[in-house]
């Protein structure tokens, strides 16, 4: 392998496969953004986004760390035990989360909404669990195909639930999300089983195929990530709550729509991360040092930053045209938010490339440290800037917060060389 080069000599190169698939995903997601801007009012979109923030807190607090730990365990000597054990852990998490959803539904007297939210949570976790398994095992075509199917399914279901049946409400949006996540979870599980017979969801007694060593490893791995989830939530979702506090649901909707457009940079980094992650995880299992991983990742990071930085400059210059094209006049206030968030996401996605090493080597404490820095800076900037600049202030807080967080990441990543 030519370390550090993302110049693709063959259309069958794994990274080329991932990039082609992600390009189609990007088009489908842009189309979804356009439809939401046309059919969902800013106030309703704001209300949906506020409810979604709580769902994402639960997902990030327990499910994302569990899946990250699962991926790290797959490079160990017993992937069969990892699949069996982690499927049981997730089943237990979902059982507890159902009780939480039931309690919240009883308090808010909106059972259908919270059951739909719970189903979307379960579906998302099983989908990520199965498709990330395909990625770690190097099944790039299957992985990319399922990502594309998810994006297309989102469009189709939106057309059925929201456009055809007129469910342009928060409940309608969560029904759409629940149907999508559950359907794609089924597809991803089937594909994982067909690709590798190791992947089986067999609910057995813990004593049969459960490893005490794996459980201890899981506990060590996820504790920093569970704390990390709270800080990550502050970075990604506290701004919505603060806009709601200082302004209105409509302003939240305007901001989230612009934020969503700017955050599409995640689609550009996704194929690179999907390509690099299995390689770095194998480096760890083969005993390579930190320095070797640094030399491997940094050239990719430089080339990515150069390409995506150019995209950000183009976005800034053409933000009104891009906003009018991919949103609607109803969300004109969001046009200026998009490019500011996009520049912020340039820093965030660079962070995600470097974080691959820490996830693979179990050095999750470093991820926690830089995230704490980013969260504190982000929240303080939001408190200062939102009352003065409104949703533009929130966007600037995102940009500055991610930039400072990136500096912290560089320090930690190269700490041995400093």
């Amino acid at each position: 392998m030519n370390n550090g080069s993302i110049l693709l000599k063959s259309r069958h190169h794994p990274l080329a496969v991932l990039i082609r698939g992600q390009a189609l995903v990007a088009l489908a997601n842009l189309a979804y953004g356009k439809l939401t801007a046309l059919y969902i009012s800013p106030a309703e979109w704001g209300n949906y986004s506020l409810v979604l923030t709580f769902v994402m807190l639960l997902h990030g607090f327990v499910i994302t760390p569990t899946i990250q730990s699962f991926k790290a365990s797959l490079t160990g000597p017993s992937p069969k035990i990892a699949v069996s054990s982690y499927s049981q852990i997730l089943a237990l998490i979902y059982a507890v989360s159902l009780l939480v959803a039931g309690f919240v539904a009883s308090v808010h007297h909106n059972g259908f909404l919270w059951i739909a939210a719970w189903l979307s949570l379960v579906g998302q976790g099983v989908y990520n669990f199965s498709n990330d398994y395909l990625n770690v095992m190097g099944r790039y075509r299957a992985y990319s195909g399922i990502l594309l199917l998810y994006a297309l399914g989102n469009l189709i279901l939106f057309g059925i639930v929201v456009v055809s049946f007129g469910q342009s409400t928060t409940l309608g949006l969560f029904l759409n999300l629940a149907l999508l996540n559950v359907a794609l979870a089924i597809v991803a599980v089937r594909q994982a089983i067909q690709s590798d017979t190791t992947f089986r969801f067999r609910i057995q007694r813990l004593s049969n195929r459960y490893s005490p060593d794996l459980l201890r490893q899981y506990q060590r791995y996820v504790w920093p990530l569970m704390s990390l989830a709270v800080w990550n939530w502050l970075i990604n979702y506290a701004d919505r709550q603060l806009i709601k506090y200082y302004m209105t649901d409509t302003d939240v909707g305007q901001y989230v729509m612009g934020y969503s457009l700017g955050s599409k940079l995640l689609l550009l980094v996704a194929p690179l991360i999907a390509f690099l992650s299995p390689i770095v995880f194998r480096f760890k299992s083969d005993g390579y040092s930190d320095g070797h991983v640094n030399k491997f990742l940094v050239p990719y990071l430089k080339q990515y930053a150069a390409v995506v930085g150019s995209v950000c400059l183009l976005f800034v210059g053409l933000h009104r045209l891009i906003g009018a094209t991919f949103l609607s006049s109803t969300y004109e206030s969001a046009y200026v938010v998009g490019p500011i968030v996009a520049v912020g996401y340039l820093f965030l996605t660079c962070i995600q490339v470097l974080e691959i090493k820490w996830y693979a080597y179990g050095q999750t404490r470093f991820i926690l440290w830089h995230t704490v820095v980013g969260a504190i800076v982000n929240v303080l900037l939001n408190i200062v800037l939102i009352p003065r600049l409104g949703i533009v202030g929130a966007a600037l807080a995102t940009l500055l917060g991610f930039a400072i967080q990136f500096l912290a990441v560089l320090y930690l990543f190269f700490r041995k060389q400093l």
Side-chain angles (χ1 to χ4, degrees):
M1 180 176 295
N2 182 15
N3 290 359
S5 174
I6 60 173
L7 298 176
L8 308 179
K9 297 180 180 180
S10 168
R11 65 188 182 90
H12 300 296
H13 189 285
L15 185 52
V17 171
L18 291 165
I19 289 174
R20 286 198 303 272
Q22 200 64 31
L24 295 173
V25 170
L27 291 175
N29 282 332
L30 288 171
Y32 176 79
K34 181 70 174 182
L35 284 176
T36 56
L38 290 172
Y39 286 95
I40 308 296
S41 71
E44 200 66 52
W45 188 245
N47 184 57
Y48 166 74
S49 300
L50 290 169
V51 176
L52 187 63
T53 61
F54 293 106
V55 176
M56 296 311 298
L57 176 60
L58 181 57
H59 190 277
F61 186 67
V62 286
I63 297 171
T64 299
T66 298
I67 293 173
Q68 288 291 351
S69 180
F70 167 64
K71 289 162 62 178
S73 297
L74 287 175
T75 59
S78 303
K80 290 183 179 180
I81 294 177
V83 171
S84 177
S85 298
Y86 278 93
S87 64
Q88 293 173 59
I89 292 171
L90 279 177
L92 178 61
I93 290 170
Y94 290 137
V96 174
S97 68
L98 179 59
L99 296 177
V100 174
F103 172 75
V104 175
S106 66
V107 171
H108 288 272
H109 306 291
N110 197 340
F112 287 115
L113 173 61
W114 288 101
I115 292 300
W118 179 79
L119 285 173
S120 68
L121 182 75
V122 173
Q124 185 70 48
V126 176
Y127 163 76
N128 290 146
F129 183 84
S130 307
N131 213 27
D132 283 351
Y133 175 85
L134 291 170
N135 180 40
V136 172
M137 293 296 145
R139 297 343 191 244
Y140 297 115
R141 289 183 182 276
Y143 172 82
S144 295
I146 291 173
L147 287 178
L148 178 58
L149 187 60
Y150 187 97
L152 293 175
N154 197 19
L155 273 177
I156 293 169
L157 285 171
F158 187 93
I160 296 171
V161 175
V162 177
V163 179
S164 298
F165 288 94
Q167 297 299 310
S168 56
T169 63
T170 298
L171 176 58
L173 290 167
F174 269 108
L175 286 173
N176 181 82
L177 186 62
L179 290 170
L180 174 69
N181 287 350
V182 170
L184 266 294
I186 295 170
V187 172
V189 169
R190 287 178 59 85
Q191 185 60 50
I193 292 173
Q194 291 173 3
S195 298
D196 191 340
T197 54
T198 295
F199 193 91
R200 300 288 184 193
F201 281 91
R202 294 172 178 166
I203 304 301
Q204 305 170 358
R205 291 185 306 166
L206 297 184
S207 58
N208 284 349
R209 295 181 61 88
Y210 206 87
S211 166
D213 290 338
L214 185 146
L215 181 58
R216 286 191 290 270
Q217 174 189 325
Y218 168 70
Q219 291 172 329
R220 288 194 303 269
Y221 194 98
V222 302
W223 279 121
L225 293 183
M226 293 176 76
S227 176
L228 172 69
V230 177
W231 296 102
N232 259 329
W233 185 88
L234 290 172
I235 291 174
N236 293 304
Y237 298 108
D239 49 5
R240 292 143 171 83
Q241 300 296 330
L242 287 168
I243 293 171
K244 167 66 174 177
Y245 176 77
Y246 288 112
M247 304 172 75
T248 66
D249 282 1
T250 298
D251 295 301
V252 175
Q254 292 281 355
Y255 174 72
V256 173
M257 190 62 73
Y259 191 104
S260 177
L261 185 60
S263 66
K264 290 295 187 290
L265 259 69
L266 288 174
L267 298 172
L268 299 179
V269 78
L272 183 60
I273 291 176
F275 170 68
L276 294 176
S277 293
I279 298 172
V280 176
F281 274 85
R282 284 195 292 271
F283 283 166
K284 191 264 183 182
S285 65
D286 293 340
Y288 285 99
S289 66
D290 276 14
H292 180 87
V293 178
N294 290 4
K295 291 178 182 178
F296 174 75
L297 285 178
V298 169
Y300 282 96
L301 177 69
K302 290 179 177 177
Q303 293 178 66
Y304 168 80
V307 172
V308 178
S310 301
V311 173
C312 287
L313 288 176
L314 186 65
F315 194 173
V316 171
L318 301 175
H319 71 277
R320 293 200 63 81
L321 176 61
I322 292 172
T325 301
F326 295 109
L327 301 179
S328 70
S329 58
T330 305
Y331 287 91
E332 188 173 359
S333 298
Y335 294 178
V336 70
V337 171
I340 299 173
V341 171
V343 177
Y345 265 67
L346 171 61
F347 292 108
L348 175 62
T349 52
C350 287
I351 290 170
Q352 291 174 336
V353 172
L354 298 179
E355 281 181 338
I356 294 172
K357 180 182 78 170
W358 293 331
Y359 279 117
Y361 282 71
Q363 299 168 332
T364 50
R365 63 188 183 279
F366 298 129
I367 301 173
L368 174 60
W369 293 349
H370 78 71
T371 304
V372 170
V373 171
I376 293 172
V377 171
N378 185 284
V379 171
L380 290 176
L381 287 171
N382 271 292
I383 292 172
V384 171
L385 295 176
I386 290 174
R388 292 165 175 79
L389 301 174
I391 63 174
V392 174
L396 288 171
T398 295
L399 191 164
L400 295 172
F402 283 143
I404 294 171
Q405 189 176 345
F406 178 63
L407 294 177
V409 168
L410 289 179
Y411 172 79
L412 293 170
F413 192 84
F414 295 109
R415 67 198 183 284
K416 291 183 179 179
Q417 285 76 35
L418 293 176

